């Protein structure tokens, strides 16, 4: 079954647009330009947003663009990609707090328009179903911003034999817990599970922007863009999406041929 699915997807592969930038600053600026242009042409756009260190520069630059009056986010609707589980929204390590601090508040996005998975929901399955419904009711995602794990995960869709299409509860891999422990006092404090959009939820977005910075992401980027479509590298499935842009800095793009954009 898995092989049939991959064959089907491989038949539809469309080259991913790759943009290699000089450094993290130019990467953040270009990414912010793409998001701002999307919102300028559709002020009521639905954005899918990611957390982690990679998009911090993007959110900083977008906030600056808001302050300069270049773009307004007052009418956008946003959906966050994932959230730890269990975690309360008050917890400073929650992705809810991250988004509040780094983007929703400085960009003027009201709570009613900023959607995220409830990491302290009693019924995770129900929360996931409800999230899919909310995305559908909003008309689907126009632009999904993604980071990538060193193991090729997108959202918290970890490498494995199977991937789940819809938003679901997932156990985090040891690699992901180790990578994320830098945000916590100790690795044991990282929640062992998370709620995440599924690969299908992500693939339904009309446009996808994947960002990566640093040499530690280079192998994952090479596999995503040039490798076979495989559940062992969840991001490789993006090759089957018709409109993906992968923006990387020179280090993350070091295994890809190509010149840096200015
Ligand atoms: P990072 O995380 O931006 O903090 O490297 C990305 C991810 O794990 O998806």
């Amino acid at each position: 079954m898995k092989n049939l699915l991959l064959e089907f997807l491989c038949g539809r592969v469309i080259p991913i647009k790759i943009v290699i930038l000089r450094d993290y600053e130019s990467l953040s600026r270009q990414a912010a330009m793409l998001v701002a242009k999307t919102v300028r042409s559709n002020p009521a756009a639905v954005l899918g947003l990611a957390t982690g260190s990679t998009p911090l520069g993007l959110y900083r630059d977008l906030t600056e663009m808001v302050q300069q009056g270049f773009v307004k986010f007052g009418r956008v609707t946003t959906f966050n990609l994932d959230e730890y589980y269990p975690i309360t929204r008050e917890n400073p390590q929650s992705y809810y707090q991250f988004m509040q601090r780094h983007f929703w508040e400085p960009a003027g996005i009201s709570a009613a328009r900023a959607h995220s998975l409830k990491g302290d929901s009693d019924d995770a399955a129900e929360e996931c179903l409800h999230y899919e419904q909310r995305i559908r009711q909003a008309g689907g995602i126009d632009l999904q911003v993604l980071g990538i794990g060193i193991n090729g995960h997108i959202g918290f869709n970890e490498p494995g034999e199977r991937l789940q299409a819809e938003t679901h509860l997932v156990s985090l891999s040891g690699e992901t817990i180790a990578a994320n422990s830098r945000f916590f006092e100790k690795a044991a404090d990282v929640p062992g599970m998370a709620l995440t959009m599924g690969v299908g939820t992500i693939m339904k977005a009309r446009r996808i922007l994947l960002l990566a910075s640093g040499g530690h992401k280079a192998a994952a980027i090479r596999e995503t863009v040039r490798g076979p479509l495989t559940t062992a590298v969840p991001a490789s499935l993006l090759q089957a999406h018709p409109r993906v842009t992968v923006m990387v800095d020179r280090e993350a793009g070091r295994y890809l041929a190509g010149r840096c954009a200015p």
Side-chain angles (χ1 to χ4, degrees):
M1 182 64 197
K2 191 177 81 182
N3 289 345
L4 275 180
L5 173 68
L6 292 181
E7 263 176 47
F8 169 73
L9 290 174
C10 286
R12 306 175 58 220
V13 167
I14 290 158
I16 288 178
K17 180 173 178 198
I18 300 161
V19 185
I20 304 177
L21 284 313
R22 206 172 38 242
D23 53 20
Y24 180 71
E25 289 307 308
S26 338
L27 168 72
S28 302
R29 195 74 196 165
Q30 283 295 319
M33 242 338 150
L34 193 151
V35 175
K37 279 184 184 161
T38 303
V39 174
R40 276 169 65 100
S41 64
N42 175 12
V46 179
L47 303 177
L49 298 175
T51 52
S53 3
T54 312
L56 280 173
L58 160 69
Y59 296 143
R60 178 204 57 205
D61 289 357
L62 284 174
T63 300
E64 203 180 292
M65 289 176 183
V66 169
Q67 284 158 358
Q68 291 169 354
F70 180 69
V71 63
K72 286 194 175 73
F73 285 90
R75 288 177 55 210
V76 301
T77 299
T78 71
F79 285 91
N80 251 65
L81 194 56
D82 46 21
E83 178 60 280
Y84 288 117
Y85 190 86
I87 201 163
T88 63
R89 287 191 161 171
E90 291 72 40
N91 189 320
Q93 313 292 357
S94 69
Y95 287 166
Y96 178 88
Q97 288 291 331
F98 175 102
M99 290 308 297
Q100 192 67 31
R101 214 168 35 245
H102 295 292
F103 192 52
W104 294 334
E105 204 175 297
I109 301 174
S110 70
R113 290 182 174 277
H115 300 267
S116 65
L117 285 150
K118 276 189 88 218
D120 59 353
S121 168
D122 290 338
D123 187 340
E126 175 58 33
E127 173 65 9
C128 293
L129 271 178
H130 183 50
Y131 204 58
E132 289 283 336
Q133 261 167 22
R134 277 146 75 193
I135 295 174
R136 273 197 300 276
Q137 279 160 7
I141 293 171
D142 292 305
L143 174 65
Q144 175 68 54
V145 176
L146 296 176
I148 184 169
I150 46 175
N151 61 5
H153 74 202
I154 43 176
F156 277 126
N157 294 283
E158 301 282 27
E161 293 247 314
R162 297 148 179 252
L163 291 172
Q164 262 177 264
E166 298 213 317
T167 303
H168 59 284
L169 179 66
V170 66
S171 293
L172 300 183
S173 70
E175 252 171 324
T176 299
I177 291 178
N180 289 14
S181 64
R182 67 190 194 279
F183 300 113
F184 292 79
E185 227 164 78
K186 48 188 188 311
D189 294 342
V190 183
M193 291 190 287
L195 301 172
T196 182
M197 283 185 192
V199 174
T201 323
I202 294 170
M203 293 288 281
K204 274 190 254 169
R206 288 181 270 280
R207 185 168 190 189
I208 295 175
L209 171 64
L210 185 145
L211 305 175
S213 165
H216 60 305
K217 299 287 176 75
I221 287 295
R222 180 191 56 211
E223 293 309 305
T224 296
V225 173
R226 305 262 187 257
L229 272 77
T230 168
T231 57
V233 182
S236 68
L237 298 194
L238 298 177
Q239 291 178 37
H241 191 283
R243 206 162 174 223
V244 180
T245 303
V246 168
M247 274 190 197
V248 293
D249 62 11
R250 217 186 314 227
E251 284 298 301
R254 71 178 174 215
Y255 299 133
L256 309 177
R259 284 191 309 120
C260 279

